[in-house]
Amino acid sequence: MRSRAEATGSRRRLLAVAAMLAATSMGCSDDGTGPARTVVEVFGPVVGEPGQRLADALAAVSEGSPVELRYVGVTSFNEQLGDRLASGDRPGIALLPQPGLLGDLAARGVLQPLPADMAATIPAQFPSALVDLVTVDEKPAAVWLTVDVKGLVWYRPSEFTERGYAVPTTLDELGELSERIRTADDAVAPWCLTMEAGGSTGWVGTDWVEDYTIRRLGPAQYDRWTEGTLPFDSPQIAAVFGELDELLRSPGATAGGSRAVLTAPWERSAALLLDGSPTCLMAHQADFLRREFPSGTSIGPDGDVDFFVLPSADATAAPMLLGGMLAAPLRQDDAVSTAMQLVASSELAERLNATTEFLSPHLAVDRDNVGDATSRRLLDLL
């Protein structure tokens, strides 16, 4: 019998191959009898079943338009995008997993401008702080497709109750809870930590460092660090790494030890958390970990699993870090311009939110129409 990771990997490869094959058929109607439609490839990092739902939403929103949005999802997005740009094989639209890539693409002369009328409407459609992050040369250069709420800690309420554990309100309390779990007699680790992500391996660890840096040092010092004026070898940043070293690398701190952390796919933390006989009790991951729970898993204080925000240093409201996907045009033609209008539409935002796997920050989204209570709770955090 194949492991869950092997099965997931096979599904991902099949999705990517199927999408790439589909993208080769250009300029045909769905049934071969209607007006020709131009296929615009949307190239992104979401794979597996979530990738299929994203593909379905993109296809649905483009029905009846002159273009057909076809999604190609890959696991090593940054690597493969670089390879394609180097070979001159640009997708029409790239879904970038971080805003920093916009500057890189602009510097390489690859990023194409948004249609002027579209760029003018972006500030009214999305929160201003998010618009600022995608502004290049004083103009919006991309559209926020989805956002991810980072800095969440997933846990099983029933296990906490049974073992007498409480949700911590400060980082120090979280450290004390982790140590209490680690040194208990039942050999259960505090952390379900897995990191392997193909060519993108490492982002799970950087999320930990970012969350602790902004909480321990504050947003101003965090900004200095990301800008390079607070070096990695400064005493402040070294102290953050030291704290994480003690939290995550002490004997028994992670299920399976360091080898499992580095070799197990990052999605595996969801399965570890929900094992019938748990080997670990908490997983630090963004809201998209919910995509990896088995169908029917209930989320909430009385559910199979729940989450709390990684606490601040002093019990005040914790600063929030966000991830997400930005849609950026890499070709400049009428078809891509039309496609970008569809990607920025409130209709696509509504469809994505209805999946209960994606969150759109589009301001036209009706919160009452969001797919489930967990999505509404996440939007409240935003």
Side-chain angles (χ1 to χ4, degrees), residues 49-129:
E49 293 177 5
Q52 187 59 61
R53 293 189 179 93
L54 175 57
D56 291 344
L58 289 167
V61 80
S62 65
E63 286 181 4
S65 79
V67 301
E68 179 182 350
L69 299 179
R70 288 191 182 173
Y71 177 67
V72 176
V74 296
T75 53
S76 299
F77 174 80
N78 289 349
E79 272 187 350
Q80 295 198 39
L81 179 61
D83 290 343
R84 292 189 58 175
L85 295 178
S87 67
D89 179 25
R90 296 187 192 180
I93 297 172
L95 302 185
L96 309 178
Q98 62 256 30
L101 285 176
L102 279 177
D104 296 340
L105 295 176
R108 295 175 62 176
V110 175
L111 185 66
Q112 300 301 309
L114 294 177
D117 57 341
M118 181 180 178
T121 63
I122 292 297
Q125 294 176 315
F126 296 89
S128 59

Side-chain angles (χ1 to χ4, degrees), residues 169-176 212 215-216 243 310-313:
T169 60
T170 66
L171 283 184
D172 287 345
E173 287 184 7
L174 178 62
E176 292 165 3
Y212 265 70
R215 284 162 173 76
R216 285 300 188 194
E243 181 174 2
L310 187 74
S312 64

Side-chain angles (χ1 to χ4, degrees), residues 257-290:
S258 297
R259 178 173 292 275
V261 167
L262 296 174
T263 59
W266 71 266
E267 304 96 330
R268 176 67 180 159
S269 60
L272 290 172
L273 188 64
L274 289 174
D275 273 350
S277 298
T279 56
C280 49
L281 296 183
M282 295 182 289
H284 169 264
Q285 191 50 272
D287 67 84
F288 49 71
L289 189 66
R290 60 184 174 149

Side-chain angles (χ1 to χ4, degrees), residues 345-368:
S345 68
S346 59
E347 179 186 350
L348 180 59
E350 294 280 3
R351 287 183 180 274
L352 291 174
N353 280 327
T355 66
T356 72
E357 294 194 20
F358 300 101
L359 290 177
S360 168
H362 201 296
L363 295 175
V365 168
D366 184 349
R367 183 182 177 280
D368 292 334

